[in-house]
Amino acid sequence: RCGLAAGRSYSGGGAYPSVSLTCPLPGVPKAVFAAAEGRERFETRVTVLENGLRVASQNKFGQFCTVGILVNSGSRHEAKYLSGISHFLEKLAFSSTAQFGSKDEILLTLEKHGGICDCQASRDTIMYAVSADARGLDTVVNLLADVALQPRLSDEEIEMTRTAIRFELEDLNMRPDPEPLLTEMIHAAAFRDNTVGLNRFCPVENTDKIDRAVLHSYLRSYYTPDRMVLAGVGIEHEQLVECARKYLLGVEPVWGKGQSRGVDRSVAQYTGGIVKVEKDMSDVSLGPTPIPELTHIMIGLESCSFLEDDFIPFAVLNMMMGGGGSFSAGGPGKGMFTRLYLNVLNRHHWMYNATSYHHSYEDTGLLCIHASADPKQVREMVEIITREFILMAGAVGEVELERAKTQLKSMLMMNLESRPVIFEDVGRQVLATNTRKLPHELCALIGQVKPTDIKRVVTKMLHKKPAVAALGDLTDLPSYEHIQAALSSKDGRLPRLYRLFR
């Protein structure tokens, strides 16, 4: 019973009575600690294959890796096609292919390597991604190549996708959180009928019109090697390049090499405008503690592309505005010292939400504020939000600017702790610029932002027409002309005559 315990030497038992705790123990091998092997261990490596496909990798220690294919394709490229193709492709991803008979077969293959898969379609990118054990890299790249280039798109799968999309569209209009719907509306108002203003979701009337022929026609134009990036995090670059050559070089896709319609290279045209949807929001959330009836307003102005130098000041400005819901809790780390908390939510108890968002693309951007309140107080809510836009051009305090910069750096670094986030960052940056700015470079740029930079980008932004999205009971909503006049006034108030006649 005491044999094993009796043979142990404890630190306080006198095995080395005369050795100081600051000295190495005699006879014990010297410890070898892990160390960074130079800056190259942190850099993103990029190789361009003979067919134009880019292979990008970021080294990260661990047993698992995240690998995926990103395609420069999305709802903004559907001008020549039926709207909703990208939505269909997102739902059809990881279905049957030339090698795999069904989705279940794909999942069982990934399960052997502890893997999971996902596909996400945005306005400008479609992303197929797999996270799995790094030892299964060959299988993963083979599967990704098959999913992207050899999908069967059977009639049964397309019909199931139609059903899934109809359900999603119905759910979108019923859910208590209106943010996805408002995001669509503000883009439609800001970029009317062009590029990023095109609907990301498939319209109901198009669900029956999209078939295999339509999908193949679109894929033939946009799923070409020069518009793709194979990105990986947690694997060796040479190994990833070898797999890319094996499975993605010289492969003829299932849609063949027929005549394509050509790639839409339209540049986003900011138009401004308003999109209104009258909707009864009184019963969106029933139950013992229902959400009160609210009217949602989103007001936006054109910012800049993520390729421009002003992108960093706009990101700092967005963080400085911050905001959230009236029930948010926490300290400075939660953004409680941002302008939309201090100037809006803390001063106007009837405001349920005031949040700033920044959407940025390769050729344009949109900075907007989403606000929610009781339908009877819509006019006051619009006045308060427009005033906040005007105040952006005023004095910027050193303390609030430093806090916003620190918070932005903190959010950036915390997000990049996640391997899938690193993967998406690597893929998107290489897809857009063929290179990647590392986190320490971005932090340095954030640190260089001055109050004059904020004032410059705001002044440029306020010269544009506003984009407005309104959802709910809009009886008291001011006209678009009055909102535009308020944004061009000195104090952001609605015109005096308008207030008198109300």
Side-chain angles (χ1 to χ4, degrees):
R1 179 176 146 187
C2 300
L4 186 63
R8 290 178 182 163
S9 296
Y10 296 96
S11 57
Y16 298 99
S18 60
V19 179
S20 168
L21 291 176
T22 58
C23 300
L25 297 176
V28 177
K30 189 177 179 181
V32 179
F33 296 100
E37 298 176 21
R39 176 61 59 82
E40 66 273 5
R41 301 293 292 179
F42 300 99
E43 290 178 353
T44 301
R45 298 180 62 186
V46 181
T47 298
V48 183
L49 301 188
E50 291 81 348
N51 61 356
L53 177 81
R54 284 157 287 181
V55 182
S57 73
Q58 176 72 47
N59 196 30
K60 185 175 174 65
F61 298 103
Q63 183 182 349
F64 282 80
C65 66
T66 299
V67 183
I69 293 176
L70 293 93
V71 189
N72 186 6
S73 156
S75 57
R76 71 169 295 165
H77 300 107
E78 294 173 2
K80 299 178 183 178
Y81 297 87
L82 287 168
S83 175
I85 291 176
S86 299
H87 195 187
F88 258 77
L89 291 173
E90 179 185 49
K91 299 295 178 192
L92 284 164
F94 294 99
S95 297
S96 63
T97 68
Q99 288 185 50
F100 302 93
S102 66
K103 190 164 200 163
D104 290 341
E105 197 174 323
I106 287 176
L107 295 176
L108 285 170
T109 303
L110 286 175
E111 191 178 312
K112 294 173 185 174
H113 301 284
I116 55 172
C117 60
D118 186 31
C119 177
Q120 293 179 10
S122 62
R123 298 182 188 281
D124 53 3
T125 311
I126 293 181
M127 182 171 61
Y128 302 86
V130 170
S131 287
D133 193 305
R135 290 171 293 185
L137 179 65
D138 191 81
T139 303
V140 166
V141 176
N142 179 25
L143 188 151
L144 283 166
D146 219 41
V147 164
L149 301 176
Q150 305 287 334
R152 286 186 184 172
L153 305 178
S154 68
D155 293 337
E156 183 185 357
E157 288 168 346
I158 291 174
E159 190 54 47
M160 286 177 65
T161 299
R162 289 188 182 120
T163 305
I165 286 175
R166 289 191 195 105
F167 174 80
E168 187 175 343
L169 293 174
E170 188 177 339
D171 176 67
L172 194 66
N173 290 309
M174 292 173 62
R175 66 174 63 176
D177 178 21
E179 190 188 321
L181 206 55
L182 279 167
T183 301
E184 290 304 306
M185 291 165 63
I186 196 72
H187 279 84
F191 306 93
R192 190 169 293 276
D193 298 326
N194 76 92
T195 57
V196 294
L198 299 177
N199 201 333
R200 193 169 66 85
F201 298 104
C202 179
V204 178
E205 62 271 17
N206 284 358
T207 53
D208 288 325
K209 298 175 184 176
I210 295 176
D211 55 19
R212 190 190 297 110
V214 171
L215 294 170
H216 277 186
S217 175
Y218 179 87
L219 292 166
R220 192 175 294 117
S221 296
Y222 290 97
Y223 276 47
T224 55
D226 58 301
R227 298 179 66 84
M228 292 182 177
V229 168
L230 174 67
V233 176
I235 35 82
E236 293 296 333
H237 185 72
E238 291 76 14
Q239 192 180 357
L240 186 63
V241 171
E242 184 184 339
C243 290
R245 290 186 183 279
K246 186 175 177 183
Y247 297 112
L248 289 162
L249 193 60
V251 177
E252 184 171 342
V254 71
W255 46 86
K257 297 181 179 178
Q259 186 66 32
S260 70
R261 286 191 178 185
V263 173
D264 179 16
R265 303 189 187 278
S266 303
V267 176
Q269 302 296 315
Y270 181 83
T271 60
I274 185 167
V275 172
K276 299 188 289 185
V277 175
E278 288 270 1
K279 186 179 177 184
D280 180 12
M281 306 283 282
S282 59
D283 59 351
V284 293
S285 175
L286 303 175
T289 54
I291 295 175
E293 180 182 1
L294 299 173
T295 294
H296 301 272
I297 305 293
M298 197 175 268
I299 300 175
L301 292 165
E302 187 181 24
S303 58
C304 74
S305 153
F306 58 69
L307 299 176
E308 296 179 45
D309 292 336
D310 283 342
F311 171 69
I312 299 294
F314 268 116
V316 174
L317 172 65
N318 179 56
M319 192 60 66
M320 194 168 73
M321 297 307 294
S326 58
F327 296 106
S328 295
K334 293 284 185 70
M336 301 293 277
F337 280 90
T338 60
R339 285 192 178 187
L340 291 179
Y341 267 115
L342 294 175
N343 302 344
V344 178
L345 292 169
N346 289 356
R347 294 185 182 182
H348 307 282
H349 65 89
W350 45 269
M351 290 275 282
Y352 280 80
N353 182 52
T355 311
S356 176
Y357 296 96
H358 187 218
H359 306 278
S360 196
Y361 305 97
E362 197 171 348
D363 50 0
T364 188
L366 189 65
L367 183 80
C368 44
I369 295 176
H370 168 209
S372 308
D374 186 274
K376 296 184 181 62
Q377 292 172 301
V378 169
R379 189 187 68 81
E380 291 89 346
M381 175 170 65
V382 171
E383 185 174 317
I384 289 164
I385 296 306
T386 51
R387 192 182 303 133
E388 285 306 309
F389 272 107
I390 298 296
L391 290 173
M392 288 181 193
V396 178
E398 283 290 340
V399 173
E400 70 169 342
L401 181 61
E402 287 304 316
R403 182 183 286 122
K405 284 156 56 172
T406 303
Q407 195 172 346
L408 182 58
K409 291 177 190 176
S410 172
M411 185 175 293
L412 172 69
M413 300 308 289
M414 282 192 290
N415 286 340
L416 289 174
E417 287 290 313
S418 168
R419 190 182 60 252
V421 173
I422 299 174
F423 156 76
E424 187 172 349
D425 183 49
V426 169
R428 286 184 179 275
Q429 286 202 50
V430 172
L431 194 64
T433 65
N434 296 322
T435 59
R436 180 188 178 225
K437 281 184 179 173
L438 296 173
H440 69 270
E441 296 176 276
L442 293 172
C443 286
L445 291 172
I446 293 168
Q448 292 168 13
V449 175
K450 298 179 177 61
T452 51
D453 297 322
I454 301 293
K455 193 164 185 177
R456 184 187 73 253
V457 298
V458 171
T459 303
K460 185 170 68 173
M461 182 175 68
L462 287 174
H463 285 139
K464 305 288 178 70
K465 289 171 61 178
V468 182
L471 177 68
D473 181 352
L474 307 179
T475 308
D476 291 336
L477 178 71
S479 69
Y480 177 75
E481 289 73 22
H482 285 102
I483 297 173
Q484 188 175 357
L487 278 169
S488 59
S489 69
K490 290 183 179 180
D491 61 357
R493 292 180 180 274
L494 297 175
R496 181 172 175 274
L497 285 175
Y498 175 76
R499 294 203 304 276
L500 290 174
F501 282 111
R502 291 298 292 173

